[in-house]
Amino acid sequence: MKELRVGYVYSHKHKAGILRELDTPTGAIYQFQYTEHYLRYVNTPIGVNLPVQSAPLVFNSLHPFFANLLSEGWVRRHQAKLARLDQEDTFGLLLANGRELIGENGKWGRSTFSG
């Protein structure tokens, strides 16, 4: 599997985990893994359906917890236009607008890999 893009998820001022978009022969999959520090010192799930565990959580599509952090409607279209992304590129929009998300999971770091 080839790593396409990576986002760093923060919760309660701690780096909670890493969300990866991976390329597979059948299309993109997504993987979220809590950091060792977060597991050891915080040990609280960032979302109800994202249990705290050391093994990566793998999804065939972007987990609704992450997808639902984004804006909707005209704000989403505006953010997509500013970031030069398709408004359906949910993962890309998370990376581009992660620092502006609301709530405890509203701070995202970003690293983008290509090629």
PDB file of all heavy atoms in Angstrom, residues 7-11 15-22 29-35 38 45-47 49-59 63 65-66 105 108:
ATOM      1  N   GLY A   7      -2.788  13.056   7.894  1.00  0.00           N
ATOM      2  CA  GLY A   7      -3.211  14.124   8.785  1.00  0.00           C
ATOM      3  C   GLY A   7      -2.923  13.744  10.216  1.00  0.00           C
ATOM      4  O   GLY A   7      -3.044  12.581  10.605  1.00  0.00           O
ATOM      5  N   TYR A   8      -2.515  14.715  11.018  1.00  0.00           N
ATOM      6  CA  TYR A   8      -2.226  14.484  12.426  1.00  0.00           C
ATOM      7  C   TYR A   8      -3.398  15.032  13.237  1.00  0.00           C
ATOM      8  O   TYR A   8      -3.748  16.191  13.128  1.00  0.00           O
ATOM      9  CB  TYR A   8      -0.921  15.169  12.821  1.00  0.00           C
ATOM     10  CG  TYR A   8       0.231  14.662  11.998  1.00  0.00           C
ATOM     11  CD1 TYR A   8       0.709  15.397  10.920  1.00  0.00           C
ATOM     12  CD2 TYR A   8       0.801  13.430  12.257  1.00  0.00           C
ATOM     13  CE1 TYR A   8       1.754  14.913  10.139  1.00  0.00           C
ATOM     14  CE2 TYR A   8       1.837  12.949  11.481  1.00  0.00           C
ATOM     15  CZ  TYR A   8       2.310  13.692  10.426  1.00  0.00           C
ATOM     16  OH  TYR A   8       3.325  13.211   9.650  1.00  0.00           O
ATOM     17  N   VAL A   9      -4.001  14.180  14.037  1.00  0.00           N
ATOM     18  CA  VAL A   9      -5.209  14.519  14.777  1.00  0.00           C
ATOM     19  C   VAL A   9      -4.840  14.873  16.213  1.00  0.00           C
ATOM     20  O   VAL A   9      -4.157  14.099  16.889  1.00  0.00           O
ATOM     21  CB  VAL A   9      -6.198  13.329  14.772  1.00  0.00           C
ATOM     22  CG1 VAL A   9      -7.474  13.683  15.509  1.00  0.00           C
ATOM     23  CG2 VAL A   9      -6.489  12.878  13.344  1.00  0.00           C
ATOM     24  N   TYR A  10      -5.315  16.031  16.664  1.00  0.00           N
ATOM     25  CA  TYR A  10      -5.074  16.484  18.025  1.00  0.00           C
ATOM     26  C   TYR A  10      -6.384  16.498  18.797  1.00  0.00           C
ATOM     27  O   TYR A  10      -7.427  16.848  18.259  1.00  0.00           O
ATOM     28  CB  TYR A  10      -4.461  17.887  18.027  1.00  0.00           C
ATOM     29  CG  TYR A  10      -3.054  17.897  17.498  1.00  0.00           C
ATOM     30  CD1 TYR A  10      -2.806  17.890  16.134  1.00  0.00           C
ATOM     31  CD2 TYR A  10      -1.965  17.869  18.362  1.00  0.00           C
ATOM     32  CE1 TYR A  10      -1.517  17.867  15.637  1.00  0.00           C
ATOM     33  CE2 TYR A  10      -0.666  17.854  17.870  1.00  0.00           C
ATOM     34  CZ  TYR A  10      -0.456  17.850  16.505  1.00  0.00           C
ATOM     35  OH  TYR A  10       0.826  17.826  16.019  1.00  0.00           O
ATOM     36  N   SER A  11      -6.321  16.106  20.061  1.00  0.00           N
ATOM     37  CA  SER A  11      -7.491  16.122  20.927  1.00  0.00           C
ATOM     38  C   SER A  11      -7.043  16.481  22.335  1.00  0.00           C
ATOM     39  O   SER A  11      -6.071  15.919  22.840  1.00  0.00           O
ATOM     40  CB  SER A  11      -8.169  14.755  20.927  1.00  0.00           C
ATOM     41  OG  SER A  11      -9.330  14.756  21.718  1.00  0.00           O
ATOM     42  N   LYS A  15      -1.416  15.206  20.705  1.00  0.00           N
ATOM     43  CA  LYS A  15      -1.436  14.555  19.400  1.00  0.00           C
ATOM     44  C   LYS A  15      -2.054  13.177  19.615  1.00  0.00           C
ATOM     45  O   LYS A  15      -1.434  12.280  20.185  1.00  0.00           O
ATOM     46  CB  LYS A  15      -0.023  14.441  18.827  1.00  0.00           C
ATOM     47  CG  LYS A  15       0.023  13.864  17.437  1.00  0.00           C
ATOM     48  CD  LYS A  15       1.457  13.849  16.939  1.00  0.00           C
ATOM     49  CE  LYS A  15       1.564  13.221  15.583  1.00  0.00           C
ATOM     50  NZ  LYS A  15       2.982  13.177  15.150  1.00  0.00           N
ATOM     51  N   ALA A  16      -3.308  13.028  19.190  1.00  0.00           N
ATOM     52  CA  ALA A  16      -4.058  11.809  19.472  1.00  0.00           C
ATOM     53  C   ALA A  16      -3.722  10.680  18.509  1.00  0.00           C
ATOM     54  O   ALA A  16      -3.692   9.516  18.905  1.00  0.00           O
ATOM     55  CB  ALA A  16      -5.555  12.092  19.422  1.00  0.00           C
ATOM     56  N   GLY A  17      -3.508  11.009  17.255  1.00  0.00           N
ATOM     57  CA  GLY A  17      -3.256   9.940  16.306  1.00  0.00           C
ATOM     58  C   GLY A  17      -2.938  10.442  14.918  1.00  0.00           C
ATOM     59  O   GLY A  17      -2.850  11.647  14.676  1.00  0.00           O
ATOM     60  N   ILE A  18      -2.800   9.490  14.027  1.00  0.00           N
ATOM     61  CA  ILE A  18      -2.456   9.790  12.641  1.00  0.00           C
ATOM     62  C   ILE A  18      -3.518   9.159  11.754  1.00  0.00           C
ATOM     63  O   ILE A  18      -3.831   7.971  11.895  1.00  0.00           O
ATOM     64  CB  ILE A  18      -1.062   9.234  12.296  1.00  0.00           C
ATOM     65  CG1 ILE A  18      -0.012   9.859  13.221  1.00  0.00           C
ATOM     66  CG2 ILE A  18      -0.728   9.487  10.835  1.00  0.00           C
ATOM     67  CD1 ILE A  18       1.359   9.230  13.116  1.00  0.00           C
ATOM     68  N   LEU A  19      -4.063   9.966  10.865  1.00  0.00           N
ATOM     69  CA  LEU A  19      -5.047   9.495   9.894  1.00  0.00           C
ATOM     70  C   LEU A  19      -4.373   9.463   8.534  1.00  0.00           C
ATOM     71  O   LEU A  19      -3.845  10.476   8.069  1.00  0.00           O
ATOM     72  CB  LEU A  19      -6.258  10.431   9.874  1.00  0.00           C
ATOM     73  CG  LEU A  19      -7.393  10.055   8.941  1.00  0.00           C
ATOM     74  CD1 LEU A  19      -8.025   8.726   9.364  1.00  0.00           C
ATOM     75  CD2 LEU A  19      -8.443  11.153   8.923  1.00  0.00           C
ATOM     76  N   ARG A  20      -4.376   8.286   7.916  1.00  0.00           N
ATOM     77  CA  ARG A  20      -3.693   8.104   6.634  1.00  0.00           C
ATOM     78  C   ARG A  20      -4.682   7.733   5.534  1.00  0.00           C
ATOM     79  O   ARG A  20      -5.617   6.980   5.765  1.00  0.00           O
ATOM     80  CB  ARG A  20      -2.670   6.983   6.736  1.00  0.00           C
ATOM     81  CG  ARG A  20      -1.515   7.267   7.631  1.00  0.00           C
ATOM     82  CD  ARG A  20      -0.558   6.061   7.691  1.00  0.00           C
ATOM     83  NE  ARG A  20       0.648   6.401   8.408  1.00  0.00           N
ATOM     84  CZ  ARG A  20       0.796   6.268   9.716  1.00  0.00           C
ATOM     85  NH1 ARG A  20      -0.182   5.770  10.448  1.00  0.00           N
ATOM     86  NH2 ARG A  20       1.929   6.599  10.304  1.00  0.00           N
ATOM     87  N   GLU A  21      -4.403   8.244   4.353  1.00  0.00           N
ATOM     88  CA  GLU A  21      -5.103   7.807   3.152  1.00  0.00           C
ATOM     89  C   GLU A  21      -4.111   6.935   2.392  1.00  0.00           C
ATOM     90  O   GLU A  21      -3.004   7.367   2.078  1.00  0.00           O
ATOM     91  CB  GLU A  21      -5.506   9.013   2.307  1.00  0.00           C
ATOM     92  CG  GLU A  21      -6.248   8.649   1.045  1.00  0.00           C
ATOM     93  CD  GLU A  21      -6.611   9.873   0.241  1.00  0.00           C
ATOM     94  OE1 GLU A  21      -5.683  10.658  -0.103  1.00  0.00           O
ATOM     95  OE2 GLU A  21      -7.801  10.055  -0.043  1.00  0.00           O
ATOM     96  N   LEU A  22      -4.516   5.699   2.134  1.00  0.00           N
ATOM     97  CA  LEU A  22      -3.626   4.728   1.498  1.00  0.00           C
ATOM     98  C   LEU A  22      -4.208   4.288   0.164  1.00  0.00           C
ATOM     99  O   LEU A  22      -5.417   4.086   0.035  1.00  0.00           O
ATOM    100  CB  LEU A  22      -3.445   3.513   2.406  1.00  0.00           C
ATOM    101  CG  LEU A  22      -2.927   3.800   3.821  1.00  0.00           C
ATOM    102  CD1 LEU A  22      -3.073   2.572   4.694  1.00  0.00           C
ATOM    103  CD2 LEU A  22      -1.488   4.268   3.775  1.00  0.00           C
ATOM    104  N   ILE A  29      -8.133   3.524   0.864  1.00  0.00           N
ATOM    105  CA  ILE A  29      -8.648   3.148   2.172  1.00  0.00           C
ATOM    106  C   ILE A  29      -8.070   4.131   3.180  1.00  0.00           C
ATOM    107  O   ILE A  29      -7.127   4.874   2.877  1.00  0.00           O
ATOM    108  CB  ILE A  29      -8.306   1.688   2.567  1.00  0.00           C
ATOM    109  CG1 ILE A  29      -6.789   1.502   2.683  1.00  0.00           C
ATOM    110  CG2 ILE A  29      -8.937   0.699   1.624  1.00  0.00           C
ATOM    111  CD1 ILE A  29      -6.400   0.182   3.339  1.00  0.00           C
ATOM    112  N   TYR A  30      -8.632   4.142   4.373  1.00  0.00           N
ATOM    113  CA  TYR A  30      -8.213   5.093   5.399  1.00  0.00           C
ATOM    114  C   TYR A  30      -7.852   4.335   6.661  1.00  0.00           C
ATOM    115  O   TYR A  30      -8.485   3.348   7.016  1.00  0.00           O
ATOM    116  CB  TYR A  30      -9.332   6.096   5.667  1.00  0.00           C
ATOM    117  CG  TYR A  30      -9.663   6.862   4.417  1.00  0.00           C
ATOM    118  CD1 TYR A  30     -10.598   6.388   3.512  1.00  0.00           C
ATOM    119  CD2 TYR A  30      -8.986   8.028   4.095  1.00  0.00           C
ATOM    120  CE1 TYR A  30     -10.868   7.059   2.332  1.00  0.00           C
ATOM    121  CE2 TYR A  30      -9.239   8.706   2.921  1.00  0.00           C
ATOM    122  CZ  TYR A  30     -10.187   8.211   2.050  1.00  0.00           C
ATOM    123  OH  TYR A  30     -10.440   8.871   0.886  1.00  0.00           O
ATOM    124  N   GLN A  31      -6.829   4.824   7.337  1.00  0.00           N
ATOM    125  CA  GLN A  31      -6.330   4.168   8.528  1.00  0.00           C
ATOM    126  C   GLN A  31      -6.116   5.220   9.613  1.00  0.00           C
ATOM    127  O   GLN A  31      -5.476   6.243   9.373  1.00  0.00           O
ATOM    128  CB  GLN A  31      -5.011   3.476   8.205  1.00  0.00           C
ATOM    129  CG  GLN A  31      -4.357   2.778   9.363  1.00  0.00           C
ATOM    130  CD  GLN A  31      -2.983   2.273   8.974  1.00  0.00           C
ATOM    131  OE1 GLN A  31      -2.054   3.068   8.849  1.00  0.00           O
ATOM    132  NE2 GLN A  31      -2.857   0.973   8.779  1.00  0.00           N
ATOM    133  N   PHE A  32      -6.664   4.958  10.790  1.00  0.00           N
ATOM    134  CA  PHE A  32      -6.417   5.838  11.932  1.00  0.00           C
ATOM    135  C   PHE A  32      -5.720   5.026  13.003  1.00  0.00           C
ATOM    136  O   PHE A  32      -6.123   3.901  13.322  1.00  0.00           O
ATOM    137  CB  PHE A  32      -7.717   6.412  12.507  1.00  0.00           C
ATOM    138  CG  PHE A  32      -7.480   7.236  13.741  1.00  0.00           C
ATOM    139  CD1 PHE A  32      -6.897   8.486  13.643  1.00  0.00           C
ATOM    140  CD2 PHE A  32      -7.789   6.737  14.989  1.00  0.00           C
ATOM    141  CE1 PHE A  32      -6.638   9.241  14.786  1.00  0.00           C
ATOM    142  CE2 PHE A  32      -7.548   7.484  16.131  1.00  0.00           C
ATOM    143  CZ  PHE A  32      -6.966   8.741  16.033  1.00  0.00           C
ATOM    144  N   GLN A  33      -4.658   5.605  13.572  1.00  0.00           N
ATOM    145  CA  GLN A  33      -3.934   4.935  14.641  1.00  0.00           C
ATOM    146  C   GLN A  33      -3.594   5.938  15.727  1.00  0.00           C
ATOM    147  O   GLN A  33      -3.037   7.006  15.455  1.00  0.00           O
ATOM    148  CB  GLN A  33      -2.665   4.277  14.113  1.00  0.00           C
ATOM    149  CG  GLN A  33      -1.974   3.437  15.158  1.00  0.00           C
ATOM    150  CD  GLN A  33      -0.899   2.553  14.556  1.00  0.00           C
ATOM    151  OE1 GLN A  33      -0.423   2.785  13.446  1.00  0.00           O
ATOM    152  NE2 GLN A  33      -0.518   1.529  15.293  1.00  0.00           N
ATOM    153  N   TYR A  34      -3.958   5.587  16.957  1.00  0.00           N
ATOM    154  CA  TYR A  34      -3.617   6.427  18.104  1.00  0.00           C
ATOM    155  C   TYR A  34      -2.107   6.410  18.322  1.00  0.00           C
ATOM    156  O   TYR A  34      -1.446   5.394  18.073  1.00  0.00           O
ATOM    157  CB  TYR A  34      -4.305   5.915  19.375  1.00  0.00           C
ATOM    158  CG  TYR A  34      -5.785   6.185  19.425  1.00  0.00           C
ATOM    159  CD1 TYR A  34      -6.709   5.206  19.109  1.00  0.00           C
ATOM    160  CD2 TYR A  34      -6.265   7.440  19.797  1.00  0.00           C
ATOM    161  CE1 TYR A  34      -8.079   5.456  19.160  1.00  0.00           C
ATOM    162  CE2 TYR A  34      -7.631   7.699  19.854  1.00  0.00           C
ATOM    163  CZ  TYR A  34      -8.527   6.700  19.536  1.00  0.00           C
ATOM    164  OH  TYR A  34      -9.878   6.953  19.589  1.00  0.00           O
ATOM    165  N   THR A  35      -1.566   7.517  18.815  1.00  0.00           N
ATOM    166  CA  THR A  35      -0.138   7.571  19.137  1.00  0.00           C
ATOM    167  C   THR A  35       0.114   6.856  20.462  1.00  0.00           C
ATOM    168  O   THR A  35      -0.777   6.735  21.307  1.00  0.00           O
ATOM    169  CB  THR A  35       0.372   9.022  19.259  1.00  0.00           C
ATOM    170  OG1 THR A  35      -0.271   9.645  20.369  1.00  0.00           O
ATOM    171  CG2 THR A  35       0.127   9.818  17.987  1.00  0.00           C
ATOM    172  N   TYR A  38      -0.595   9.157  23.405  1.00  0.00           N
ATOM    173  CA  TYR A  38      -2.019   9.314  23.689  1.00  0.00           C
ATOM    174  C   TYR A  38      -2.563   8.067  24.387  1.00  0.00           C
ATOM    175  O   TYR A  38      -3.334   8.166  25.346  1.00  0.00           O
ATOM    176  CB  TYR A  38      -2.789   9.591  22.399  1.00  0.00           C
ATOM    177  CG  TYR A  38      -4.195  10.086  22.640  1.00  0.00           C
ATOM    178  CD1 TYR A  38      -4.438  11.430  22.911  1.00  0.00           C
ATOM    179  CD2 TYR A  38      -5.268   9.210  22.591  1.00  0.00           C
ATOM    180  CE1 TYR A  38      -5.725  11.887  23.137  1.00  0.00           C
ATOM    181  CE2 TYR A  38      -6.560   9.667  22.814  1.00  0.00           C
ATOM    182  CZ  TYR A  38      -6.777  11.007  23.089  1.00  0.00           C
ATOM    183  OH  TYR A  38      -8.051  11.453  23.314  1.00  0.00           O
ATOM    184  N   PRO A  45     -11.159   7.764  23.996  1.00  0.00           N
ATOM    185  CA  PRO A  45     -11.439   7.765  22.554  1.00  0.00           C
ATOM    186  C   PRO A  45     -11.786   9.164  22.058  1.00  0.00           C
ATOM    187  O   PRO A  45     -12.441   9.933  22.759  1.00  0.00           O
ATOM    188  CB  PRO A  45     -12.621   6.815  22.396  1.00  0.00           C
ATOM    189  CG  PRO A  45     -13.160   6.572  23.750  1.00  0.00           C
ATOM    190  CD  PRO A  45     -12.128   6.970  24.743  1.00  0.00           C
ATOM    191  N   ILE A  46     -11.331   9.491  20.872  1.00  0.00           N
ATOM    192  CA  ILE A  46     -11.671  10.798  20.300  1.00  0.00           C
ATOM    193  C   ILE A  46     -13.095  10.807  19.765  1.00  0.00           C
ATOM    194  O   ILE A  46     -13.679  11.857  19.561  1.00  0.00           O
ATOM    195  CB  ILE A  46     -10.682  11.236  19.203  1.00  0.00           C
ATOM    196  CG1 ILE A  46     -10.714  10.275  18.023  1.00  0.00           C
ATOM    197  CG2 ILE A  46      -9.283  11.393  19.772  1.00  0.00           C
ATOM    198  CD1 ILE A  46      -9.980  10.787  16.804  1.00  0.00           C
ATOM    199  N   GLY A  47     -13.651   9.621  19.540  1.00  0.00           N
ATOM    200  CA  GLY A  47     -15.021   9.486  19.068  1.00  0.00           C
ATOM    201  C   GLY A  47     -15.610   8.173  19.563  1.00  0.00           C
ATOM    202  O   GLY A  47     -14.875   7.225  19.855  1.00  0.00           O
ATOM    203  N   ASN A  49     -17.127   5.756  18.131  1.00  0.00           N
ATOM    204  CA  ASN A  49     -16.836   4.574  17.314  1.00  0.00           C
ATOM    205  C   ASN A  49     -15.364   4.452  16.932  1.00  0.00           C
ATOM    206  O   ASN A  49     -15.029   3.796  15.943  1.00  0.00           O
ATOM    207  CB  ASN A  49     -17.697   4.582  16.050  1.00  0.00           C
ATOM    208  CG  ASN A  49     -19.158   4.405  16.376  1.00  0.00           C
ATOM    209  OD1 ASN A  49     -19.508   3.652  17.272  1.00  0.00           O
ATOM    210  ND2 ASN A  49     -20.015   5.107  15.662  1.00  0.00           N
ATOM    211  N   LEU A  50     -14.498   5.096  17.705  1.00  0.00           N
ATOM    212  CA  LEU A  50     -13.054   5.005  17.465  1.00  0.00           C
ATOM    213  C   LEU A  50     -12.390   4.542  18.756  1.00  0.00           C
ATOM    214  O   LEU A  50     -11.787   5.338  19.485  1.00  0.00           O
ATOM    215  CB  LEU A  50     -12.498   6.357  17.008  1.00  0.00           C
ATOM    216  CG  LEU A  50     -13.014   6.843  15.658  1.00  0.00           C
ATOM    217  CD1 LEU A  50     -12.665   8.300  15.438  1.00  0.00           C
ATOM    218  CD2 LEU A  50     -12.453   5.992  14.547  1.00  0.00           C
ATOM    219  N   PRO A  51     -12.520   3.255  19.081  1.00  0.00           N
ATOM    220  CA  PRO A  51     -12.008   2.754  20.362  1.00  0.00           C
ATOM    221  C   PRO A  51     -10.508   2.962  20.501  1.00  0.00           C
ATOM    222  O   PRO A  51      -9.764   2.914  19.525  1.00  0.00           O
ATOM    223  CB  PRO A  51     -12.360   1.270  20.324  1.00  0.00           C
ATOM    224  CG  PRO A  51     -12.485   0.928  18.880  1.00  0.00           C
ATOM    225  CD  PRO A  51     -12.994   2.179  18.215  1.00  0.00           C
ATOM    226  N   VAL A  52     -10.103   3.190  21.736  1.00  0.00           N
ATOM    227  CA  VAL A  52      -8.680   3.351  22.028  1.00  0.00           C
ATOM    228  C   VAL A  52      -8.029   1.978  21.965  1.00  0.00           C
ATOM    229  O   VAL A  52      -8.374   1.069  22.711  1.00  0.00           O
ATOM    230  CB  VAL A  52      -8.476   3.987  23.420  1.00  0.00           C
ATOM    231  CG1 VAL A  52      -7.004   4.071  23.749  1.00  0.00           C
ATOM    232  CG2 VAL A  52      -9.115   5.354  23.476  1.00  0.00           C
ATOM    233  N   GLN A  53      -7.106   1.841  21.028  1.00  0.00           N
ATOM    234  CA  GLN A  53      -6.357   0.595  20.862  1.00  0.00           C
ATOM    235  C   GLN A  53      -5.063   0.902  20.131  1.00  0.00           C
ATOM    236  O   GLN A  53      -4.955   1.911  19.443  1.00  0.00           O
ATOM    237  CB  GLN A  53      -7.177  -0.437  20.087  1.00  0.00           C
ATOM    238  CG  GLN A  53      -7.538  -0.004  18.672  1.00  0.00           C
ATOM    239  CD  GLN A  53      -8.438  -0.996  17.958  1.00  0.00           C
ATOM    240  OE1 GLN A  53      -9.415  -1.457  18.525  1.00  0.00           O
ATOM    241  NE2 GLN A  53      -8.086  -1.329  16.721  1.00  0.00           N
ATOM    242  N   SER A  54      -4.092   0.016  20.301  1.00  0.00           N
ATOM    243  CA  SER A  54      -2.798   0.262  19.655  1.00  0.00           C
ATOM    244  C   SER A  54      -2.809  -0.137  18.183  1.00  0.00           C
ATOM    245  O   SER A  54      -2.067   0.434  17.388  1.00  0.00           O
ATOM    246  CB  SER A  54      -1.683  -0.472  20.400  1.00  0.00           C
ATOM    247  OG  SER A  54      -1.947  -1.850  20.431  1.00  0.00           O
ATOM    248  N   ALA A  55      -3.645  -1.085  17.809  1.00  0.00           N
ATOM    249  CA  ALA A  55      -3.721  -1.514  16.399  1.00  0.00           C
ATOM    250  C   ALA A  55      -4.444  -0.453  15.572  1.00  0.00           C
ATOM    251  O   ALA A  55      -5.373   0.202  16.063  1.00  0.00           O
ATOM    252  CB  ALA A  55      -4.467  -2.839  16.299  1.00  0.00           C
ATOM    253  N   PRO A  56      -4.038  -0.271  14.329  1.00  0.00           N
ATOM    254  CA  PRO A  56      -4.712   0.717  13.477  1.00  0.00           C
ATOM    255  C   PRO A  56      -6.154   0.303  13.179  1.00  0.00           C
ATOM    256  O   PRO A  56      -6.470  -0.874  13.070  1.00  0.00           O
ATOM    257  CB  PRO A  56      -3.884   0.736  12.199  1.00  0.00           C
ATOM    258  CG  PRO A  56      -2.876  -0.330  12.304  1.00  0.00           C
ATOM    259  CD  PRO A  56      -2.929  -0.926  13.657  1.00  0.00           C
ATOM    260  N   LEU A  57      -7.006   1.305  13.068  1.00  0.00           N
ATOM    261  CA  LEU A  57      -8.394   1.111  12.646  1.00  0.00           C
ATOM    262  C   LEU A  57      -8.437   1.387  11.147  1.00  0.00           C
ATOM    263  O   LEU A  57      -7.966   2.437  10.698  1.00  0.00           O
ATOM    264  CB  LEU A  57      -9.316   2.071  13.389  1.00  0.00           C
ATOM    265  CG  LEU A  57      -9.306   1.937  14.911  1.00  0.00           C
ATOM    266  CD1 LEU A  57      -9.838   3.195  15.569  1.00  0.00           C
ATOM    267  CD2 LEU A  57     -10.114   0.734  15.316  1.00  0.00           C
ATOM    268  N   VAL A  58      -8.971   0.470  10.370  1.00  0.00           N
ATOM    269  CA  VAL A  58      -8.954   0.593   8.911  1.00  0.00           C
ATOM    270  C   VAL A  58     -10.388   0.689   8.390  1.00  0.00           C
ATOM    271  O   VAL A  58     -11.269  -0.049   8.829  1.00  0.00           O
ATOM    272  CB  VAL A  58      -8.232  -0.618   8.273  1.00  0.00           C
ATOM    273  CG1 VAL A  58      -8.217  -0.516   6.756  1.00  0.00           C
ATOM    274  CG2 VAL A  58      -6.813  -0.736   8.816  1.00  0.00           C
ATOM    275  N   PHE A  59     -10.599   1.617   7.444  1.00  0.00           N
ATOM    276  CA  PHE A  59     -11.931   1.874   6.898  1.00  0.00           C
ATOM    277  C   PHE A  59     -11.862   1.933   5.376  1.00  0.00           C
ATOM    278  O   PHE A  59     -10.906   2.459   4.814  1.00  0.00           O
ATOM    279  CB  PHE A  59     -12.474   3.208   7.413  1.00  0.00           C
ATOM    280  CG  PHE A  59     -12.290   3.397   8.890  1.00  0.00           C
ATOM    281  CD1 PHE A  59     -11.269   4.196   9.379  1.00  0.00           C
ATOM    282  CD2 PHE A  59     -13.123   2.760   9.795  1.00  0.00           C
ATOM    283  CE1 PHE A  59     -11.088   4.367  10.741  1.00  0.00           C
ATOM    284  CE2 PHE A  59     -12.954   2.924  11.157  1.00  0.00           C
ATOM    285  CZ  PHE A  59     -11.930   3.727  11.636  1.00  0.00           C
ATOM    286  N   HIS A  63     -14.031   7.607   7.778  1.00  0.00           N
ATOM    287  CA  HIS A  63     -14.947   7.387   8.896  1.00  0.00           C
ATOM    288  C   HIS A  63     -15.831   8.626   9.091  1.00  0.00           C
ATOM    289  O   HIS A  63     -15.346   9.757   9.006  1.00  0.00           O
ATOM    290  CB  HIS A  63     -14.142   7.109  10.163  1.00  0.00           C
ATOM    291  CG  HIS A  63     -14.959   6.627  11.305  1.00  0.00           C
ATOM    292  ND1 HIS A  63     -15.710   7.464  12.081  1.00  0.00           N
ATOM    293  CD2 HIS A  63     -15.159   5.373  11.790  1.00  0.00           C
ATOM    294  CE1 HIS A  63     -16.329   6.768  13.017  1.00  0.00           C
ATOM    295  NE2 HIS A  63     -16.014   5.494  12.863  1.00  0.00           N
ATOM    296  N   PHE A  65     -16.930  10.070  11.621  1.00  0.00           N
ATOM    297  CA  PHE A  65     -16.452  10.987  12.653  1.00  0.00           C
ATOM    298  C   PHE A  65     -15.609  12.092  12.028  1.00  0.00           C
ATOM    299  O   PHE A  65     -15.763  13.270  12.359  1.00  0.00           O
ATOM    300  CB  PHE A  65     -15.625  10.243  13.705  1.00  0.00           C
ATOM    301  CG  PHE A  65     -14.975  11.170  14.695  1.00  0.00           C
ATOM    302  CD1 PHE A  65     -15.689  11.648  15.777  1.00  0.00           C
ATOM    303  CD2 PHE A  65     -13.665  11.574  14.529  1.00  0.00           C
ATOM    304  CE1 PHE A  65     -15.094  12.520  16.686  1.00  0.00           C
ATOM    305  CE2 PHE A  65     -13.062  12.440  15.422  1.00  0.00           C
ATOM    306  CZ  PHE A  65     -13.783  12.917  16.509  1.00  0.00           C
ATOM    307  N   PHE A  66     -14.721  11.727  11.132  1.00  0.00           N
ATOM    308  CA  PHE A  66     -13.842  12.712  10.489  1.00  0.00           C
ATOM    309  C   PHE A  66     -14.585  13.499   9.414  1.00  0.00           C
ATOM    310  O   PHE A  66     -14.450  14.722   9.340  1.00  0.00           O
ATOM    311  CB  PHE A  66     -12.618  12.015   9.893  1.00  0.00           C
ATOM    312  CG  PHE A  66     -11.773  11.320  10.916  1.00  0.00           C
ATOM    313  CD1 PHE A  66     -11.702   9.943  10.949  1.00  0.00           C
ATOM    314  CD2 PHE A  66     -11.054  12.038  11.855  1.00  0.00           C
ATOM    315  CE1 PHE A  66     -10.933   9.284  11.899  1.00  0.00           C
ATOM    316  CE2 PHE A  66     -10.285  11.399  12.813  1.00  0.00           C
ATOM    317  CZ  PHE A  66     -10.228  10.014  12.840  1.00  0.00           C
ATOM    318  N   ASN A 105     -11.413  18.239  18.748  1.00  0.00           N
ATOM    319  CA  ASN A 105     -10.622  17.646  17.675  1.00  0.00           C
ATOM    320  C   ASN A 105     -10.385  18.655  16.566  1.00  0.00           C
ATOM    321  O   ASN A 105     -10.127  18.298  15.440  1.00  0.00           O
ATOM    322  CB  ASN A 105     -11.324  16.402  17.129  1.00  0.00           C
ATOM    323  CG  ASN A 105     -11.494  15.378  18.209  1.00  0.00           C
ATOM    324  OD1 ASN A 105     -10.526  14.954  18.812  1.00  0.00           O
ATOM    325  ND2 ASN A 105     -12.722  15.018  18.501  1.00  0.00           N
ATOM    326  N   TRP A 108      -5.658  20.298  13.630  1.00  0.00           N
ATOM    327  CA  TRP A 108      -5.031  19.263  12.806  1.00  0.00           C
ATOM    328  C   TRP A 108      -3.688  19.755  12.313  1.00  0.00           C
ATOM    329  O   TRP A 108      -3.542  20.907  11.914  1.00  0.00           O
ATOM    330  CB  TRP A 108      -5.900  18.981  11.577  1.00  0.00           C
ATOM    331  CG  TRP A 108      -7.065  18.107  11.850  1.00  0.00           C
ATOM    332  CD1 TRP A 108      -8.084  18.358  12.713  1.00  0.00           C
ATOM    333  CD2 TRP A 108      -7.319  16.856  11.271  1.00  0.00           C
ATOM    334  NE1 TRP A 108      -8.979  17.334  12.687  1.00  0.00           N
ATOM    335  CE2 TRP A 108      -8.527  16.398  11.803  1.00  0.00           C
ATOM    336  CE3 TRP A 108      -6.655  16.072  10.350  1.00  0.00           C
ATOM    337  CZ2 TRP A 108      -9.085  15.190  11.444  1.00  0.00           C
ATOM    338  CZ3 TRP A 108      -7.216  14.873   9.972  1.00  0.00           C
ATOM    339  CH2 TRP A 108      -8.418  14.435  10.534  1.00  0.00           C
TER     340      TRP A 108
END
